[in-house]
Amino acid sequence: MASDTLSRRPPTLRRIRTDSRLATAAKEIAFLLAAALLYTLVRGLTSDRVDAAFRHAEDVIAFEKTLGINVETDLQGLVLDHQWAIDAANGFYIYGYWPVFVLTLAWLITRRPAAYPFYRNALLASGAFSLVIFAFYPLSPPRFLPWHGFVDTISLEVPTYRDMSSSRLVNEYAAMPSLHFGWILLLGIAWVALSRILVLRIIGAVMPLLMFAAIVLTGNHYVVDAIVGGGVVVAGIGVAVLIERHKRRRAVEAAIDDARQAADDGDGSGSAIPAQRTPNLTRVR
């Protein structure tokens, strides 16, 4: 009898939260699948623009020389004679991206669900900006230009990874912006802002610096790619801020409507909230 009573009890708060997080995870899978499909379509748009990608690469190199930041080959020259440095750069480029990406999103969903939508929106917005750049400005990565002195360290040391990343589902002429750097910058910001553990906050602050070194030392990106990658992430954060402000404004307006309705239901006069006070309330952030 007691067991029947227990089985008929309403769901606990923990179960409700678990179900909500599972629903959120399902939606995020859908988002990622849609993003992957869109990325594939953009890859199709740029695959027949190889000549433009190499012309743009020459333009980027010339632009960096003008600014005095054409330092990629000089930096590579510092590590090519040190196997441990090459291994470290290759390893962080490979394992410091998707694993960190997935684990951070999982942590946000499960441990910081209130903050997750902000970073999700920033991620999607920066990705959308990047897709536009990929479509209209195909760019060959440095590793495709060995005559400039660039070395593809991953092809030399980890050819299996390069073989996998050379499939038809990967846009090899989308060097700008560097989402390897940009998205790790965004995730690092999340670590610094939301983690309660000092060591993790320090790691979050260092991760973008390590990824910047990795993308340059492996011959996968130019310095300008990282700058633009950081720029699209800042723009994505701006979009996320606007979305949050819009959500808060809608919540305040809904609260005002509910209060007015309650007042109308209570005395029928609708005068519980004076009309002249409403503008002050709607300015709440």
Side-chain angles (χ1 to χ4, degrees):
M1 190 69 178
S3 60
D4 292 340
T5 302
L6 289 174
S7 64
R8 289 195 296 270
R9 285 182 177 175
T12 63
L13 182 58
R14 176 177 295 180
R15 181 177 175 181
I16 292 172
R17 287 176 175 173
T18 300
D19 291 344
S20 176
R21 289 172 185 175
L22 288 175
T24 299
K27 288 193 296 184
E28 298 317 310
I29 291 174
F31 272 123
L32 292 176
L33 289 176
L37 175 60
L38 185 58
Y39 185 90
T40 301
L41 294 175
V42 171
R43 196 265 182 217
L45 290 174
T46 59
S47 61
D48 60 348
R49 301 177 62 194
V50 175
D51 291 343
F54 278 93
R55 288 197 305 272
H56 292 159
E58 297 292 342
D59 292 341
V60 166
I61 292 172
F63 178 67
E64 287 192 344
K65 288 180 178 178
T66 300
L67 296 180
I69 58 174
N70 179 234
V71 297
E72 295 88 351
T73 54
D74 293 336
L75 294 176
Q76 278 198 311
L78 296 176
V79 303
L80 290 178
D81 292 333
H82 304 282
Q83 188 63 42
W84 67 268
I86 296 175
D87 292 341
N90 289 346
F92 196 79
Y93 182 85
I94 296 171
Y95 300 110
Y97 185 51
W98 283 118
V100 172
F101 184 93
V102 172
L103 290 174
T104 302
L105 291 184
W107 170 66
L108 288 171
I109 292 173
T110 58
R111 306 298 296 176
R112 301 291 185 272
Y116 172 75
F118 177 86
Y119 289 94
R120 187 271 317 280
N121 292 335
L123 183 74
L124 292 176
S126 60
F129 293 142
S130 299
L131 285 174
V132 173
I133 299 174
F134 292 160
F136 291 96
Y137 197 81
L139 178 64
S140 174
R143 59 190 174 87
F144 286 168
L145 286 77
W147 54 88
H148 279 288
F150 298 112
V151 178
D152 184 355
T153 63
I154 291 180
S155 290
L156 292 177
E157 302 293 335
V158 197
T160 54
Y161 174 84
R162 188 62 78 201
D163 291 340
M164 288 188 297
S165 64
S166 298
S167 72
R168 293 188 59 81
L169 296 179
V170 176
N171 182 359
E172 295 191 278
Y173 300 98
M176 181 186 293
S178 171
L179 290 182
H180 255 73
F181 173 76
W183 279 351
I184 290 300
L185 173 63
L186 178 62
L187 300 179
I189 291 172
W191 284 37
V192 172
L194 302 175
S195 177
R196 300 188 182 98
I197 301 174
L198 177 59
V199 172
L200 293 181
R201 293 202 297 270
I202 293 173
I203 293 174
V206 172
M207 280 195 311
L209 300 177
L210 294 177
M211 185 55 75
F212 175 81
I215 64 175
V216 172
L217 294 177
T218 57
N220 280 282
H221 287 283
Y222 308 94
V223 171
V224 168
D225 298 340
I227 295 173
V228 178
V232 296
V233 162
V234 170
I237 291 174
V239 171
V241 168
L242 293 177
I243 292 173
E244 290 299 310
R245 288 181 177 177
H246 176 71
K247 288 164 59 178
R248 286 197 292 269
R249 186 181 303 115
R250 291 291 298 272
V252 170
E253 291 171 353
I256 293 172
D257 291 340
D258 289 344
R260 283 178 172 169
Q261 185 62 46
D264 290 341
D265 292 342
D267 59 18
S269 65
S271 60
I273 299 181
Q276 66 270 22
R277 294 183 62 187
T278 300
N280 292 331
L281 291 173
T282 57
R283 285 197 294 268
V284 176
R285 291 295 182 266

